[in-house]
Amino acid sequence: MTSTLTKEFEYYKKHQKTLLDKYEGQFVVIKDEEVKGVYNTEIEAYQEAQKEYKLGSFLIQKVEEGKGSYSQTFYSRVSI
């Protein structure tokens, strides 16, 4: 079973080029495999989306070029 966020993220990846042409540098709210809103900041996108949609049912994604726009690497120091 595919989670809602996975489905929304796959939609973003599939339509990244089109979204880039329209919304480069902005944050989109994706729900039900559709762009529901476009915002200048991530905070604004979150504040508006949570007014209408249940948390965990939508994706907020910054529209940027390339795979690096949605890939992050986190490092943690561990003491043994």
Side-chain angles (χ1 to χ4, degrees):
M1 184 172 159
T2 304
S3 77
T4 298
L5 294 180
T6 300
K7 182 175 68 172
E8 308 306 7
F9 183 60
E10 290 301 320
Y11 172 88
Y12 172 77
K13 291 192 307 184
K14 183 177 179 180
H15 296 90
Q16 186 178 15
K17 174 68 174 134
T18 303
L19 294 171
L20 188 63
D21 290 342
K22 293 181 179 180
Y23 310 120
E24 184 173 9
Q26 295 179 296
F27 292 86
V28 293
V29 173
I30 300 172
K31 179 168 173 51
D32 300 327
E33 298 181 85
E34 184 179 325
V35 175
K36 298 292 188 176
V38 181
Y39 304 92
N40 292 320
T41 67
E42 186 175 20
I43 296 295
E44 182 184 12
Y46 171 77
Q47 288 173 335
E48 293 303 314
Q50 61 89 28
K51 289 178 186 177
E52 290 197 40
Y53 312 116
K54 180 181 170 187
L55 293 179
S57 70
F58 59 88
L59 175 74
I60 297 173
Q61 176 66 50
K62 185 170 187 182
V63 180
E64 294 182 310
E65 189 172 359
K67 184 177 178 180
S69 69
Y70 54 80
S71 299
Q72 293 183 344
T73 303
F74 295 92
Y75 298 96
S76 175
R77 289 198 238 176
V78 178
S79 293
I80 300 177

